[in-house]
Structure formats: structure tokens, C-alpha cells
Amino acid sequence: MRLTAVLMLAPFALAACGERTETAAPTPAEVVSAAPVQSDAAATAPAVLNAADLRRVCRAGLAGIHGQALGDITIDGLDGQVVNASWRAPVDGGRRRAQCRVEGDLITWRPSDAADPAQARWMNQSGDPVTRFVLDGEAITINTTLPDGTTATETYAVATEQEAR
């Protein structure tokens, strides 16, 4: 009886002795860049934003990204699907300028007044913060995840009429 039990458990014991394949835990950037889980209950980004919603989302996104009050961000124009915006520079009182675009629920931006052309790039590389939005009527929620995994969430009320000008 003992011999039978030992023989029956031998394959399991041998299987446990095989090589172990370890997978590394994903980095925060890999976790953030993964496709978000969709829910029927949550508001989501439309496939393509109309011009007014694009201006609203970029205005809220740039306010959240740069720590500005929503009223401080001015939309200067729209070139296709790219929004041009500016705001008062907090240090010297000049103007900061940026461009913003939206792809799905992802907001990307680039400085348009950088002195160094290498810095005038779209902020969508692996070491850059990831900014996503949720549009729910007049409420726009901006979710930013930094490369170290920390997150920040801001919700702004941006009426469509404000951006129609």
C-alpha cells in the first residue's frame, strides 16, 4: 500500500523539481500603458471628439497637467485635431504655450515655445506622465499617472458654451 502511494505521488514530486519560470512584475509605465478595463457603468471617451469637446478636454487636461486654474488656460486656436493653448507663466508673468491632442481617452501635449527644439516634443514617451480623461456631460475628470506610479485626479466643470467662442 505504501509503495503504491509513493508511486502515485512520484510524478507530482518530479514535476515540482522542474525549472521555474519567473516573470518580473510590470513597471508602473507598463501598467499605465495597458489598455484600461471598460465598464458599462463608467463614462468613457468618445471615439472622436467634436471641436468643442476637444477644446474642453484639452483645456481641462492642460490645467491639470500644469497645475493651473481652469480659467487661466486660454484656447488660442485649433489646427485639425491639435489645440493651441496658452496661460500666464507663474514665475515671470510671460505666456506659456502648448499644443494638445487627444487619442481615445489619452491626452498628450507638447510645449510650443520651448527654446530647445529637442524639448518641443510630444510628451508621450515611456518616462512621461500619462494623462487620461473621462467626459461626463459638463464634468471632465483628468487622471494623471506619474512614471513612479503615483496618481492625481482632478475634476473640472467646463460648459460647452464656454468653448464655443
Side-chain angles (χ1 to χ4, degrees):
M1 177 88 157
R2 282 182 145 187
L3 184 58
T4 305
V6 169
L7 289 176
M8 290 177 60
L9 294 177
F12 296 111
L14 290 175
C17 293
E19 282 188 40
R20 196 192 304 172
T21 57
E22 293 184 21
T23 57
T27 65
E30 292 170 332
V31 171
V32 170
S33 63
V37 177
Q38 297 296 322
S39 167
D40 292 340
T44 58
V48 176
L49 296 174
N50 63 39
D53 285 341
L54 180 60
R55 287 191 294 268
R56 292 173 57 219
V57 167
C58 280
R59 187 171 178 217
L62 289 170
I65 291 166
H66 295 285
Q68 299 294 311
L70 185 65
D72 293 343
I73 304 293
T74 302
I75 301 301
D76 299 326
L78 186 65
D79 292 326
Q81 293 296 308
V82 176
V83 174
N84 296 300
S86 64
W87 60 95
R88 186 183 156 286
V91 175
D92 64 5
R95 298 291 291 171
R96 298 265 332 254
R97 299 185 191 294
Q99 291 183 315
C100 169
R101 66 182 180 201
V102 174
E103 298 169 12
D105 69 340
L106 186 66
I107 299 171
T108 55
W109 72 282
R110 72 175 177 183
S112 55
D113 58 357
D116 180 6
Q119 293 177 342
R121 65 173 180 81
W122 288 103
M123 301 296 153
N124 60 357
Q125 295 178 5
S126 64
D128 295 330
V130 175
T131 305
R132 297 186 184 280
F133 76 96
V134 175
L135 181 62
D136 188 12
E138 290 189 359
I140 301 172
T141 302
I142 304 297
N143 299 302
T144 302
T145 305
L146 301 177
D148 68 0
T150 58
T151 61
T153 301
E154 294 285 334
T155 300
Y156 300 94
V158 186
T160 304
E161 303 84 49
Q162 280 182 292
E163 296 304 321
R165 47 188 157 104

